[in-house]
Amino acid sequence: MPIDLAALPDDPGILRDLVSHAEHENAGLRSVNDDLRAEIDKLHLLIAKLQRHRFGQRSEQMDPDQLALALEDLEQAEAAGDEAAQAGTADGQTRERKRRQRNLGALPDSLPQVEVVVDLEEKQCACCGSALHQVGETVSRMLDFVPASFRVKVIRRPRYACASCDGPPVQAPAPPRPIDGGMASEALVAHVLVSKFADHLPLYRQAQIYERHGIRLDRSTLGDWVGRACWWLRPLYDRILSHVMAQEKIFADDTTLPVLDPGRGRTKTGRLWCYAVDDRPWCGSAPPAVAFVYATDRKGERPAAHLSSFRGILQVDGYAGFGKVVKARADDALALAFCWTHARRGFHEFHQATQSPIAAEALARIARLYAIEAEIRGQSAEHRLAVRRERSRPEIEAMHTWLDEQLPRISKGSELAKAMRYVLRHWEGLTRFLDDGRIELDTNTVEREIRRIPLGRKNALFAGNDTGAEHWALMATLIGSAKLSGVEPLAWLTEILERIVAGHTKANEIDTLLPWNWKTQAALPAAA
């Protein structure tokens, strides 16, 4: 209620009561205003999230693939404009081509070469009629393409009989096939696997491609090949999974995988749990690898079962199930390191929606940590640890003091306060990198491996059943580990299928087929 300044009482006590009452009301109004502002900021942030979910990118940075698509269109338009301008040149004028600055790439010497000679029809001088003699030549190289072709692999096994006795005929035993009674060679089966799980081509699309070449293959036939190939490759998958779990530090995350639920007319939401190891940022000796494990849900007992034999540091996001895994362990052999990318995300989203200076300050402080990490990436764990103790620890301590000072000044219900509480709640795991040079600042290693799953999911929509989902996990493991090792998946899968089908399945022989070992062996003949 407003106070009439012209009718104020003369009694000092009454005046003090009026002032005290007014201050109390103003405090109440400020509290209400703070709550309303927090609610408005929350709604702005929610709208921004929904708009980004519906129309834009969900990550903090633009997807490089999406940016590449836009650049491709610009380059195409520029090239078309150049050709149109050159085509409009008047007859009789030299069409001077615009030299464009671009990386044309290099043609590897290993490619087969086909020579095309463009020669004069008449090799006589136009002036005197004498015969011309060659004084040199101009050579240019173009990258050509021969469409993929099929061939029939005919296996002949001569049968022999003895002319001196009545013994039965003899012949060499038939070589093993990846598909008993089938017509697919190991190379063709490997091509189907890579096309489906690396190039994200569903089997029905592959069948359409084959039909253009005159080869009629039912989708069910291709599915049968995939299932049988996955059975052959299961020992290699198990070996890669055990390799990952035997390391002292791994990354973990999960993603959804829709799976057809027969009888219900819809899909159920399965999960692909991803475990990765990559010690290259700190010069570790373990070969990089990734292992996917399918589960029907996201219950905490799933990662607990997967990690039952693991001892070391598990770097994860803030999923509470991983914390339960640690609490369920009777020993102290498992410790969690958390991800600064996930800690940063709340501040980034709030800043995008509200331009908050406090959120901007938080982002700047986290950016300084990443700047230090960029300088020491690829150094030894000991060197990284020394630099972190000298430069990162003061930043971390100052950040904790700053968060403690700012949090009480912010409405408890605001998204900014939630982002701050997230950081403080996970502080021990977020700062564990200060005491171990092997730990990364984030889980981007496993995030990059998981990114391939949504690409395949977008094309295939869902797995046909739980077994199909397990095959998805198996092939994502093999192809992902091959790429981490710098191995071309098609050549690798072709050879290992040949060797596994031929009976090379003992433990020591399986180890030679692992992508990091296969890469070394493949390089030996060239080095010799």
Short mmCIF file of all heavy atoms in Angstrom, two decimals, residues 295-326:
data_model
loop_
_atom_site.label_atom_id
_atom_site.label_comp_id
_atom_site.label_asym_id
_atom_site.label_seq_id
_atom_site.Cartn_x
_atom_site.Cartn_y
_atom_site.Cartn_z
N ALA A 295 21.96 -54.41 -24.57
CA ALA A 295 21.12 -54.75 -23.42
C ALA A 295 19.70 -54.28 -23.72
O ALA A 295 19.48 -53.34 -24.50
CB ALA A 295 21.63 -54.11 -22.14
N THR A 296 18.74 -54.93 -23.12
CA THR A 296 17.34 -54.61 -23.40
C THR A 296 16.85 -53.38 -22.64
O THR A 296 15.76 -52.90 -22.91
CB THR A 296 16.45 -55.81 -23.03
OG1 THR A 296 16.68 -56.17 -21.66
CG2 THR A 296 16.76 -57.01 -23.92
N ASP A 297 17.63 -52.88 -21.68
CA ASP A 297 17.21 -51.71 -20.91
C ASP A 297 18.44 -50.98 -20.41
O ASP A 297 19.58 -51.34 -20.71
CB ASP A 297 16.29 -52.11 -19.75
CG ASP A 297 16.90 -53.19 -18.87
OD1 ASP A 297 18.06 -53.03 -18.46
OD2 ASP A 297 16.21 -54.20 -18.60
N ARG A 298 18.19 -49.93 -19.58
CA ARG A 298 19.28 -49.10 -19.06
C ARG A 298 19.45 -49.26 -17.56
O ARG A 298 19.97 -48.37 -16.89
CB ARG A 298 19.00 -47.63 -19.41
CG ARG A 298 20.26 -46.77 -19.48
CD ARG A 298 19.95 -45.31 -19.52
NE ARG A 298 21.15 -44.51 -19.75
CZ ARG A 298 21.24 -43.22 -19.50
NH1 ARG A 298 20.20 -42.56 -19.00
NH2 ARG A 298 22.36 -42.56 -19.72
N LYS A 299 19.03 -50.37 -17.03
CA LYS A 299 19.16 -50.58 -15.60
C LYS A 299 20.62 -50.63 -15.19
O LYS A 299 21.49 -51.04 -15.95
CB LYS A 299 18.46 -51.88 -15.20
CG LYS A 299 16.95 -51.85 -15.41
CD LYS A 299 16.32 -53.17 -15.02
CE LYS A 299 14.80 -53.13 -15.23
NZ LYS A 299 14.18 -54.43 -14.88
N GLY A 300 20.87 -50.24 -13.94
CA GLY A 300 22.24 -50.16 -13.45
C GLY A 300 22.95 -51.49 -13.44
O GLY A 300 24.19 -51.54 -13.51
N GLU A 301 22.19 -52.61 -13.36
CA GLU A 301 22.88 -53.90 -13.33
C GLU A 301 23.52 -54.25 -14.67
O GLU A 301 24.36 -55.14 -14.74
CB GLU A 301 21.92 -55.02 -12.91
CG GLU A 301 20.73 -55.20 -13.82
CD GLU A 301 19.44 -54.73 -13.16
OE1 GLU A 301 19.49 -53.81 -12.33
OE2 GLU A 301 18.39 -55.31 -13.50
N ARG A 302 23.10 -53.57 -15.74
CA ARG A 302 23.71 -53.85 -17.05
C ARG A 302 25.19 -53.46 -17.06
O ARG A 302 26.05 -54.31 -17.30
CB ARG A 302 22.94 -53.13 -18.16
CG ARG A 302 21.47 -53.46 -18.20
CD ARG A 302 21.22 -54.94 -18.39
NE ARG A 302 19.79 -55.21 -18.47
CZ ARG A 302 19.25 -56.41 -18.51
NH1 ARG A 302 20.04 -57.47 -18.48
NH2 ARG A 302 17.95 -56.58 -18.57
N PRO A 303 25.53 -52.17 -16.81
CA PRO A 303 26.96 -51.85 -16.77
C PRO A 303 27.69 -52.57 -15.63
O PRO A 303 28.88 -52.86 -15.75
CB PRO A 303 26.99 -50.33 -16.59
CG PRO A 303 25.66 -49.99 -16.02
CD PRO A 303 24.70 -50.97 -16.61
N ALA A 304 26.98 -52.87 -14.54
CA ALA A 304 27.63 -53.60 -13.45
C ALA A 304 28.09 -54.97 -13.92
O ALA A 304 29.19 -55.44 -13.56
CB ALA A 304 26.67 -53.73 -12.27
N ALA A 305 27.27 -55.64 -14.73
CA ALA A 305 27.65 -56.95 -15.25
C ALA A 305 28.79 -56.83 -16.27
O ALA A 305 29.73 -57.62 -16.27
CB ALA A 305 26.44 -57.63 -15.89
N HIS A 306 28.70 -55.81 -17.13
CA HIS A 306 29.74 -55.63 -18.14
C HIS A 306 31.09 -55.35 -17.48
O HIS A 306 32.13 -55.81 -17.97
CB HIS A 306 29.39 -54.46 -19.07
CG HIS A 306 28.05 -54.58 -19.71
ND1 HIS A 306 27.35 -53.50 -20.20
CD2 HIS A 306 27.25 -55.67 -19.93
CE1 HIS A 306 26.20 -53.91 -20.70
NE2 HIS A 306 26.12 -55.21 -20.54
N LEU A 307 31.07 -54.59 -16.38
CA LEU A 307 32.31 -54.11 -15.75
C LEU A 307 32.73 -54.97 -14.56
O LEU A 307 33.56 -54.53 -13.75
CB LEU A 307 32.13 -52.66 -15.30
CG LEU A 307 31.84 -51.64 -16.41
CD1 LEU A 307 31.29 -50.35 -15.83
CD2 LEU A 307 33.10 -51.37 -17.22
N SER A 308 32.18 -56.16 -14.45
CA SER A 308 32.47 -56.99 -13.28
C SER A 308 33.95 -57.32 -13.13
O SER A 308 34.46 -57.47 -12.02
CB SER A 308 31.65 -58.28 -13.34
OG SER A 308 31.98 -59.01 -14.53
N SER A 309 34.67 -57.42 -14.25
CA SER A 309 36.09 -57.76 -14.18
C SER A 309 37.00 -56.53 -14.32
O SER A 309 38.22 -56.67 -14.23
CB SER A 309 36.45 -58.76 -15.29
OG SER A 309 36.22 -58.20 -16.57
N PHE A 310 36.40 -55.37 -14.52
CA PHE A 310 37.22 -54.18 -14.77
C PHE A 310 37.79 -53.62 -13.47
O PHE A 310 37.09 -53.53 -12.47
CB PHE A 310 36.39 -53.11 -15.48
CG PHE A 310 37.12 -51.81 -15.67
CD1 PHE A 310 38.17 -51.72 -16.55
CD2 PHE A 310 36.77 -50.69 -14.93
CE1 PHE A 310 38.85 -50.53 -16.73
CE2 PHE A 310 37.44 -49.50 -15.10
CZ PHE A 310 38.49 -49.41 -16.00
N ARG A 311 39.04 -53.22 -13.51
CA ARG A 311 39.71 -52.59 -12.38
C ARG A 311 40.44 -51.36 -12.91
O ARG A 311 41.32 -51.47 -13.76
CB ARG A 311 40.73 -53.53 -11.73
CG ARG A 311 40.17 -54.85 -11.23
CD ARG A 311 39.29 -54.63 -10.00
NE ARG A 311 38.84 -55.90 -9.43
CZ ARG A 311 37.76 -56.55 -9.81
NH1 ARG A 311 37.02 -56.05 -10.81
NH2 ARG A 311 37.41 -57.69 -9.25
N GLY A 312 40.05 -50.19 -12.44
CA GLY A 312 40.74 -48.98 -12.89
C GLY A 312 39.84 -47.78 -12.86
O GLY A 312 38.93 -47.66 -12.04
N ILE A 313 40.07 -46.86 -13.78
CA ILE A 313 39.35 -45.59 -13.85
C ILE A 313 38.34 -45.66 -14.99
O ILE A 313 38.70 -45.98 -16.13
CB ILE A 313 40.32 -44.42 -14.06
CG1 ILE A 313 41.27 -44.32 -12.88
CG2 ILE A 313 39.56 -43.11 -14.24
CD1 ILE A 313 42.40 -43.36 -13.09
N LEU A 314 37.11 -45.36 -14.68
CA LEU A 314 36.03 -45.35 -15.65
C LEU A 314 35.60 -43.91 -15.88
O LEU A 314 35.13 -43.24 -14.96
CB LEU A 314 34.85 -46.18 -15.14
CG LEU A 314 33.66 -46.36 -16.07
CD1 LEU A 314 34.05 -47.23 -17.27
CD2 LEU A 314 32.48 -47.00 -15.33
N GLN A 315 35.79 -43.41 -17.10
CA GLN A 315 35.42 -42.01 -17.40
C GLN A 315 34.07 -42.00 -18.07
O GLN A 315 33.88 -42.61 -19.13
CB GLN A 315 36.47 -41.35 -18.28
CG GLN A 315 36.26 -39.86 -18.43
CD GLN A 315 37.55 -39.09 -18.58
OE1 GLN A 315 38.60 -39.66 -18.85
NE2 GLN A 315 37.48 -37.78 -18.40
N VAL A 316 33.12 -41.27 -17.45
CA VAL A 316 31.72 -41.35 -17.86
C VAL A 316 31.07 -39.98 -17.77
O VAL A 316 31.67 -39.00 -17.31
CB VAL A 316 30.95 -42.34 -16.96
CG1 VAL A 316 31.48 -43.75 -17.13
CG2 VAL A 316 31.03 -41.91 -15.50
N ASP A 317 29.80 -39.93 -18.20
CA ASP A 317 28.98 -38.74 -17.99
C ASP A 317 28.34 -38.83 -16.61
O ASP A 317 28.77 -39.63 -15.77
CB ASP A 317 27.93 -38.60 -19.09
CG ASP A 317 27.03 -39.83 -19.21
OD1 ASP A 317 27.00 -40.65 -18.25
OD2 ASP A 317 26.36 -40.00 -20.24
N GLY A 318 27.29 -38.07 -16.36
CA GLY A 318 26.71 -38.04 -15.03
C GLY A 318 25.64 -39.09 -14.76
O GLY A 318 24.89 -38.95 -13.78
N TYR A 319 25.53 -40.13 -15.60
CA TYR A 319 24.51 -41.15 -15.40
C TYR A 319 24.68 -41.81 -14.03
O TYR A 319 25.76 -42.31 -13.70
CB TYR A 319 24.59 -42.19 -16.52
CG TYR A 319 23.74 -43.41 -16.29
CD1 TYR A 319 22.37 -43.31 -16.09
CD2 TYR A 319 24.32 -44.69 -16.31
CE1 TYR A 319 21.60 -44.44 -15.89
CE2 TYR A 319 23.55 -45.82 -16.12
CZ TYR A 319 22.18 -45.69 -15.90
OH TYR A 319 21.42 -46.81 -15.70
N ALA A 320 23.61 -41.80 -13.23
CA ALA A 320 23.69 -42.30 -11.85
C ALA A 320 23.99 -43.79 -11.77
O ALA A 320 24.51 -44.26 -10.76
CB ALA A 320 22.39 -41.99 -11.12
N GLY A 321 23.67 -44.53 -12.83
CA GLY A 321 23.91 -45.97 -12.80
C GLY A 321 25.36 -46.33 -12.62
O GLY A 321 25.69 -47.34 -11.99
N PHE A 322 26.28 -45.50 -13.14
CA PHE A 322 27.69 -45.79 -12.97
C PHE A 322 28.11 -45.60 -11.52
O PHE A 322 28.98 -46.31 -11.02
CB PHE A 322 28.54 -44.90 -13.89
CG PHE A 322 28.38 -45.23 -15.35
CD1 PHE A 322 27.89 -44.30 -16.25
CD2 PHE A 322 28.73 -46.48 -15.83
CE1 PHE A 322 27.75 -44.59 -17.58
CE2 PHE A 322 28.60 -46.79 -17.18
CZ PHE A 322 28.10 -45.84 -18.05
N GLY A 323 27.50 -44.62 -10.85
CA GLY A 323 27.78 -44.45 -9.44
C GLY A 323 27.34 -45.66 -8.63
O GLY A 323 28.01 -46.07 -7.67
N LYS A 324 26.22 -46.26 -9.01
CA LYS A 324 25.74 -47.46 -8.32
C LYS A 324 26.69 -48.64 -8.55
O LYS A 324 26.83 -49.50 -7.69
CB LYS A 324 24.34 -47.80 -8.80
CG LYS A 324 23.29 -46.75 -8.43
CD LYS A 324 21.92 -47.14 -8.96
CE LYS A 324 20.87 -46.07 -8.61
NZ LYS A 324 19.53 -46.41 -9.15
N VAL A 325 27.31 -48.65 -9.73
CA VAL A 325 28.28 -49.72 -10.01
C VAL A 325 29.43 -49.64 -9.02
O VAL A 325 29.88 -50.66 -8.47
CB VAL A 325 28.80 -49.61 -11.46
CG1 VAL A 325 29.95 -50.59 -11.69
CG2 VAL A 325 27.68 -49.86 -12.44
N VAL A 326 29.92 -48.42 -8.74
CA VAL A 326 31.02 -48.25 -7.80
C VAL A 326 30.59 -48.64 -6.39
O VAL A 326 31.32 -49.34 -5.67
CB VAL A 326 31.51 -46.78 -7.82
CG1 VAL A 326 32.59 -46.57 -6.76
CG2 VAL A 326 32.03 -46.42 -9.20
#
